[in-house]
Amino acid sequence: MSFDVAVQLTRGDARIGAAFQTGAGVTVLFGRSGVGKTTVLNMVAGLIRPDKGHARVNGRTLYDRNAAVDLPPERRRAGYVFQETRLFPHRRVRANLLYGAEDEARLAETAAMLDIAHLLDRWPRTLSGGEARRVAIGRALLSDPEFLLLDEPLASLDAARADEVMRALERLRDGTRLPMLLVTHDPAEAERLGNHVVRL
């Protein structure tokens, strides 16, 4: 099993949360905008503390209110790809990819998988939206995570750039055993990428 999550957060009159157990591959959190998908992702990442529940990945407990377990984000071993790429503008692509990297030897393999090897000497400002998104995914992978969190990875991309990123994510899904939790409101994206779809 990859993800075993049951988290809930109350904000005013609103309750935000989800409960799911899924196997290997890509788990998609799917639903309309504003339903709380990113909040659930942030609870798994440790960026928001739930009011109750638990979050486990591959049997490892990240948060359990009843057992008083609440690992800080830096100990959860998550690779997080935000909606904004958040690349360092003063660092070339190679330096962005290797920022916080655990294993520099994996750079060539990761760059090939994401089709960004030809971009290594470029500045972030010269990248297309799809290229920048793939670099952000590569940087998350090179931090040697135990799982990957992706918040709307195709947001704000035109059809061609979105397809580039989609194909890179398919290669990542099919070529690694890394559990992934992906947020989207697009049913086509959920159907194409998801091994498991959780509707919020």
Side-chain angles (χ1 to χ4, degrees):
M1 180 178 298
S2 291
F3 293 98
D4 176 8
V5 174
V7 290
Q8 184 174 298
L9 177 68
T10 302
R11 286 185 170 171
D13 295 332
R15 287 185 179 179
I16 301 169
F20 53 92
Q21 294 180 338
T22 58
V26 178
T27 299
V28 174
L29 295 181
F30 172 74
R32 60 180 173 77
S33 296
V35 77
K37 304 182 299 297
T38 296
T39 300
V40 171
L41 204 70
N42 285 333
M43 286 192 272
V44 174
L47 302 178
I48 296 175
R49 178 176 292 168
D51 295 326
K52 60 182 180 180
H54 66 264
R56 302 182 184 98
V57 180
N58 285 342
R60 179 171 173 255
T61 300
L62 310 177
Y63 173 84
D64 189 328
R65 178 69 181 264
N66 293 332
V69 176
D70 186 7
L71 296 182
E74 65 273 14
R75 289 186 53 208
R76 295 197 180 196
R77 300 286 305 276
Y80 202 132
V81 180
F82 296 89
Q83 287 188 32
E84 310 83 21
T85 58
R86 302 188 182 189
L87 299 180
F88 299 111
H90 61 291
R91 293 175 179 261
R92 293 182 190 268
V93 166
R94 182 187 302 275
N96 265 281
L97 287 167
L98 293 176
Y99 185 83
E102 295 289 330
D103 185 2
E104 187 171 343
R106 291 177 51 218
L107 174 62
E109 176 188 348
T110 301
M113 179 181 294
L114 297 173
D115 192 23
I116 55 174
H118 61 293
L119 304 175
L120 295 179
D121 293 324
R122 298 260 300 272
W123 295 101
R125 66 179 177 273
T126 69
L127 303 178
S128 70
E131 289 169 342
R133 199 65 54 93
R134 284 181 281 143
V135 171
I137 293 168
R139 183 173 61 184
L141 286 173
L142 286 166
S143 69
D144 196 28
E146 290 187 357
F147 60 101
L148 201 61
L149 304 174
L150 301 115
D151 190 6
E152 297 277 9
L154 307 185
S156 304
L157 298 179
D158 62 33
R161 303 289 88 75
D163 188 62
E164 288 176 2
V165 176
M166 185 87 78
R167 285 186 278 112
L169 289 173
E170 287 174 324
R171 290 193 297 273
L172 180 60
R173 177 196 63 197
D174 299 339
T176 72
R177 298 178 58 84
L178 192 67
M180 291 183 270
L181 186 59
L182 181 147
V183 163
T184 185
H185 62 272
D186 185 331
E189 186 179 333
E191 181 178 354
R192 181 171 167 181
L193 284 175
N195 300 101
H196 320 278
V197 177
V198 179
R199 296 178 182 272
L200 273 66

